[in-house]
Every structure is written in C-alpha cells, then in structure tokens.
Amino acid sequence: MRDFVDHALELLLKHDMAGFAELWAEDGVLEFPFAAPGYPQRVEGRDAIREYLRDYPNLLDIREITAKTVHETTDPAVVVGEFTVAGVVVATQKPYELSYIAVITVEDGEIRHYRDYWSPLAAAKIFGGVEELTAAFGG
C-alpha cells in the first residue's frame, strides 16, 4: 500500500490528473467530509473524478510533498496517509502549503473509496476567501 500511495503522490507532482483519476475503480468514490459550503462533498465514479480533477493543475501548481506518513491499518485494504503539499496558486502566484489526511480503501489495485480530510478554512485563506475557493473547485 505504501507503494500505491507513493505512486499516487508522484502522479500529483507530475500534474498527471488523468493518471491520478485512473487509480480509481470505475465506481470509486472521492469524498470530502469537511467540504466548505458550495464545495462538492462526494464525487462518484472514475469518469466524474477525472472531470473533477481535470483543471486542478490550472488552479494549483503542486511542486513538492513536504511531509508524508503512511499508516497501515488492521484492514489490509485500508491505509491512512498524512501529507503536506506545497506549491503555488496559479492565479495569484502566491505560495501554497496545506496538510491533508486521506483514508484510502484499495481493492484489486484500484481506489474504491478516498476520504480526503483537509481544512477548507486554510484553503480559503490561500485562495483569498471562501468564494474564491468555491469558484475554483466547487464548479
């Protein structure tokens, strides 16, 4: 599982969002339990996830993973990743650094469920406000 997480983060660093989306099962789920108002709480299905992630590199230029810890669980299909991503907000060229915790369920080499825990308040501050964050990611 550690190799799987490393590969996923490598795809993010390469800005390969199509490759990142391909890690999901056809009916996989991407969930944001702490989503800000107006931000999607769930994206269901590989195609929807691919579409959701498509413009991500035009919003955030991820340049490095500054911290990473992977916790294996008693369920061999579930891993918890803690990581901090750093880069630049494309629109403003301001520095971007945010920490995430992801609970990832992988079956048959594909992500079935990815719960992405991050702070919408911290992200809003980086983007210049909740409205800007929602406009960037909420659709």
Side-chain angles (χ1 to χ4, degrees):
M1 285 290 272
R2 290 177 193 276
D3 290 342
F4 188 92
V5 173
D6 287 343
H7 177 63
L9 293 174
E10 183 178 304
L11 291 169
L12 287 176
L13 284 172
K14 290 180 179 179
H15 302 150
D16 183 355
M17 303 320 291
F20 188 64
E22 284 300 314
L23 297 175
W24 266 263
E26 190 172 324
D27 60 348
V29 174
L30 173 58
E31 185 178 6
F32 304 100
F34 297 153
Y39 194 97
Q41 292 190 322
R42 276 175 81 89
V43 182
E44 297 185 39
R46 182 188 300 136
D47 291 341
I49 292 166
R50 183 182 302 109
E51 181 62 24
Y52 172 78
L53 295 171
R54 184 172 50 93
D55 290 329
Y56 195 89
N58 298 325
L59 303 169
L60 293 172
D61 178 6
I62 297 173
R63 297 185 176 173
E64 66 180 308
I65 308 299
T66 60
K68 178 185 70 173
T69 304
V70 177
H71 305 278
E72 294 182 6
T73 70
T74 57
D75 182 341
V78 178
V79 67
V80 177
E82 296 181 76
F83 48 94
T84 301
V85 175
V88 174
V89 176
V90 173
T92 64
Q93 290 301 297
K94 290 184 178 178
Y96 164 78
E97 188 167 21
L98 198 63
S99 295
Y100 301 82
I101 295 177
V103 179
I104 308 165
T105 303
V106 177
E107 295 173 358
D108 299 323
E110 297 178 314
I111 298 172
R112 289 276 169 209
H113 198 209
Y114 187 114
R115 283 191 315 274
D116 195 3
Y117 294 92
W118 53 277
S119 169
L121 292 176
K125 183 176 178 184
I126 291 166
F127 273 87
V130 173
E131 292 81 15
E132 291 80 357
L133 173 67
T134 301
F137 290 98

